[in-house]
Amino acid sequence: MQTVETLNEGLKRAFRITIPAKDIDARVDQELKSIAPQVRMPGFRPGKVPANLVRKMHGAALEQQALQNAVQEGVQQLMADQKLRPAMQPSVELEEGGPGKDAVVKVEVETLPDVPEAKIDGLKIERFVVEASDEMIDEAVQRLAAGQRSFDSAPASHKAATGDRVIIDFEGKVDGETFEGGVGEGMSVELGSGRLIPGFEDQLVGVKANDQKTVNVTFPEDYPVDYLKGREAAFEVTVNEVQVAREVKADDEFAQSMGLEGIAQLRDLLKAQVEQELNGLTRTHMKRQLLDQLAASHDFPVPESMVEAEFDQIWRQLEHEAGHEEDPAAARAEMEKERGDYRAIAERRVRLGLLLSDIGQKNGVEVSQQEMNQLVMQAAQQYKPEDRQRFVEYIRNEPMAAAQLRAPMFEDKVVDFLFDKAEISERPASREELESAIEAEEGHVHGPGCGHDHDHDHAAKPKAKKSAKAAAKSDEAPAEKPAAKSKAKAAAKEEAAEAAPEKKPAAEKAAAKKPAAKKA
């Protein structure tokens, strides 16, 4: 194999490798000898088919496979000989080739930079100390009680109000034609939950049992069913029943209904949860201070391909969010004005990710095999039992998917290592002060960020998520290759969930949608 370097500019490298035709032919001959004993042909005893006939039957396929294998091994040898560390998958293009010809292959690759020695001395971080107050615990108890409420049938004369629940049958039509999944019976809808497509729940406010009503809505532009995107639909709704929420008192009886001794034990449990939440907010605030200092003191070139991949991920989420705005066109115009800011965010994310990874590797930070096994088993629990082993096998066989699972824990360990190195001061603060500090930081370009998961089930609206804009400016720095991380995540989910995705009733699918994240 002959190798010629054609480009060496910054992190970009390009090569032209030539694989002699005789090497490819040798591979074909070797494979022919391997399969010849198994070839069957009328008029010949098993294993006695002449080599020229075997070549005639299988030669084209064997030549193609031999070429692919030769190119793959050639690229691997190139990477090893040149000691290249690819930032992304190399671009490989066959420029010349064919039966009896040398294969000339163009290889383009962007390499990872040599990360300079990290400046981790002199880091100073302020920790907000927030106590879990009785008021916070009271609010947590009330939220829990509200979530446990039950519903009773309302009198026939009762008009449904926000917070009530209605049981409906419906038939949806677009251009006068019923569409797939547009018919349902006995669907329960809590008014004001925001679970259905915009305008559907609002038009049910005021209905009574046995009412019939036409609900007119427009499917969002990003609706997961292509033929319904942006289409106007009319739902003929029959109200079977209106239900009102029964008041739930947060007392000993309520706590005992949950298997606890009384309200005191419930408050102790909720206090621990509040403290855990406060610790999470405190860590977020500290981590952002840490990353700001690292970003300010480190500047080195990063691969454009990784930045582009990270920017594309951020931009896709922003476009998704803009589609839910009242004026999508105006939202997209605002995005375009800030395109440069988001590209800077992507570049910072990549740089911080490479820096954290380098710090961890040089200081012996690692995720043990036992910890990795626990991560795999935890992730597998999100799938149906029959799909869990398939997911586990996929992670074992796909290094990028494994890296995706490992990255958050690795990053947390690197951050903890840096916290131990930093000078940390403490000051008492309220929850409002802590949250305000975090929100203020989201108003600046912090860098590491976007990464929402989206299922494609349009049956129900999940809990609200942080807006794409705020998420893009948060500080979830990828500790491993950012672009590889997002790809591995998608691949792992697609592979493991393909056979058994969670599905909702078709009727509910038609009437409901995915969330429109609030704008930061």
Side-chain angles (χ1 to χ4, degrees):
M1 183 181 76
Q2 180 184 5
T3 301
V4 178
E5 185 176 58
T6 59
L7 177 68
N8 189 337
E9 294 180 0
L11 301 177
K12 294 182 178 180
R13 306 284 294 276
F15 302 86
R16 181 171 286 106
I17 60 178
T18 302
I19 304 172
K22 63 179 182 179
D23 291 349
I24 300 174
D25 289 340
R27 290 173 178 267
V28 175
D29 291 339
Q30 184 178 0
E31 190 62 26
L32 282 171
K33 291 178 181 179
S34 175
I35 69 170
Q38 286 80 43
V39 174
R40 299 291 187 269
M41 181 178 290
F44 296 94
R45 287 180 297 169
K48 299 299 182 180
V49 180
N52 62 323
L53 292 181
V54 177
R55 180 180 286 273
K56 185 175 181 181
M57 292 173 60
H58 302 285
L62 293 177
E63 287 174 1
Q64 182 65 29
Q65 186 62 48
L67 176 60
Q68 291 179 1
N69 292 341
V71 170
Q72 182 178 5
E73 292 178 15
V75 172
Q76 292 174 348
Q77 183 179 338
L78 169 68
M79 297 298 154
D81 292 345
Q82 298 291 329
K83 298 180 180 180
L84 300 176
R85 298 185 302 146
M88 302 284 284
Q89 190 71 20
S91 169
V92 181
E93 178 185 353
L94 181 64
E95 294 186 328
E96 299 178 20
K101 296 182 179 180
D102 294 347
V104 180
V105 182
K106 179 182 179 181
V107 181
E108 295 179 338
V109 61
E110 196 167 17
T111 61
L112 291 172
D114 292 325
V115 179
E117 191 67 28
K119 303 171 185 176
I120 59 177
D121 294 326
L123 296 170
K124 294 184 179 181
I125 299 173
E126 183 177 49
R127 177 193 284 129
F128 282 17
V129 180
V130 184
E131 299 293 337
S133 66
D134 289 340
E135 181 181 359
M136 294 181 196
I137 300 171
D138 290 341
E139 292 176 356
V141 171
Q142 293 303 321
R143 285 196 301 270
L144 180 62
Q148 297 293 321
R149 63 182 177 174
S150 57
F151 289 82
D152 296 323
S153 293
S157 60
H158 178 77
K159 294 183 178 180
T162 299
D164 290 348
R165 189 163 67 183
V166 295
I167 311 301
I168 64 172
D169 300 338
F170 62 87
E171 180 179 3
K173 295 183 178 180
V174 172
D175 294 337
E177 298 290 334
T178 302
F179 54 89
E180 182 181 358
V183 179
E185 296 180 351
M187 187 174 78
S188 175
V189 180
E190 185 175 339
L191 303 185
S193 66
R195 193 167 58 87
L196 306 184
I197 54 179
F200 197 101
E201 296 173 25
D202 296 341
Q203 296 177 59
L204 294 179
V205 172
V207 300
K208 302 188 299 293
N210 301 317
D211 278 358
Q212 293 185 336
K213 185 177 181 65
T214 300
V215 175
N216 296 300
V217 295
T218 300
F219 285 97
E221 292 293 341
D222 65 342
Y223 198 69
V225 179
D226 288 340
Y227 70 88
L228 292 177
K229 290 180 178 179
R231 303 285 296 278
E232 295 181 356
F235 287 85
E236 297 299 330
V237 176
T238 299
V239 181
N240 299 324
E241 185 181 3
V242 177
Q243 300 176 343
V244 294
R246 183 188 306 168
E247 182 181 1
V248 178
K249 294 183 179 180
D251 53 16
D252 285 336
E253 183 179 351
F254 170 67
Q256 289 166 2
S257 71
M258 303 179 69
L260 303 176
E261 294 179 358
I263 191 66
Q265 186 181 10
L266 175 60
R267 289 180 64 87
D268 287 341
L269 292 174
L270 291 178
K271 180 180 180 180
Q273 292 183 8
V274 171
E275 289 174 341
Q276 184 177 13
E277 182 181 354
L278 291 173
N279 289 337
L281 291 173
T282 300
R283 181 182 175 86
T284 294
H285 183 220
M286 294 171 63
K287 181 178 175 182
R288 291 186 180 179
Q289 296 175 64
L290 170 68
L291 294 179
D292 277 346
Q293 293 179 59
L294 291 176
S297 58
H298 298 83
D299 186 18
F300 53 88
V302 293
E304 292 180 11
S305 56
M306 293 178 71
V307 174
E308 190 64 28
E310 199 62 48
F311 173 77
D312 287 346
Q313 181 185 349
I314 295 172
W315 200 252
R316 281 195 302 271
Q317 178 59 25
L318 289 168
E319 288 182 329
H320 172 81
E321 182 180 281
H324 290 289
E325 297 287 348
E326 293 182 4
D327 188 346
R332 292 189 176 94
E334 181 182 351
M335 283 167 48
E336 288 295 340
K337 291 179 182 178
E338 298 178 339
R339 177 181 285 268
D341 290 341
Y342 288 112
R343 189 168 293 279
I345 288 171
E347 181 175 335
R348 171 173 160 148
R349 283 195 64 185
V350 172
R351 183 174 290 111
L352 282 172
L354 294 172
L355 181 61
L356 288 177
S357 179
D358 189 71
I359 291 173
Q361 292 173 15
K362 289 180 178 178
N363 290 278
V365 177
E366 61 180 18
V367 175
S368 69
Q369 187 58 52
Q370 182 179 359
E371 290 171 329
M372 188 62 193
N373 291 340
Q374 291 176 348
L375 290 174
V376 173
M377 298 312 298
Q378 289 171 2
Q381 296 306 308
Q382 66 182 301
Y383 302 107
K384 293 185 177 181
E386 59 267 28
D387 292 323
R388 290 171 186 169
Q389 186 57 38
R390 182 182 177 190
F391 172 80
V392 171
E393 292 298 327
Y394 177 77
I395 295 298
R396 287 175 179 170
N397 296 326
E398 291 292 337
M400 289 179 65
Q404 157 60 22
L405 280 181
R406 182 175 57 249
M409 178 177 286
F410 179 78
E411 177 187 312
D412 282 342
K413 288 193 168 191
V414 176
V415 169
D416 287 337
F417 168 79
L418 293 173
F419 282 164
D420 290 340
K421 289 281 187 180
E423 178 185 333
I424 298 179
S425 60
E426 296 184 350
R427 78 172 178 90
S430 66
R431 179 174 184 141
E432 290 72 21
E433 288 178 296
L434 177 57
E435 291 178 339
S436 295
I438 293 174
E439 289 173 4
E441 290 165 348
E442 286 176 354
H444 301 284
V445 178
H446 278 281
C450 182
H452 291 221
D453 302 330
H454 299 290
D455 57 45
H456 295 285
D457 184 355
H458 50 313
K461 189 173 184 178
K463 293 181 180 179
K465 296 179 180 179
K466 183 188 296 184
S467 74
K469 192 169 185 177
K473 294 177 180 179
S474 71
D475 280 310
E476 295 302 317
E480 306 219 6
K481 298 181 185 179
K485 178 178 176 180
S486 61
K487 288 183 179 180
K489 185 173 188 177
K493 286 195 172 183
E494 180 180 357
E495 175 73 16
E498 180 181 5
E502 181 182 356
K503 295 190 176 182
K504 303 281 176 36
E508 194 176 348
K509 282 186 180 182
K513 67 173 280 293
K514 289 183 67 178
K518 298 292 183 182
K519 188 171 183 180

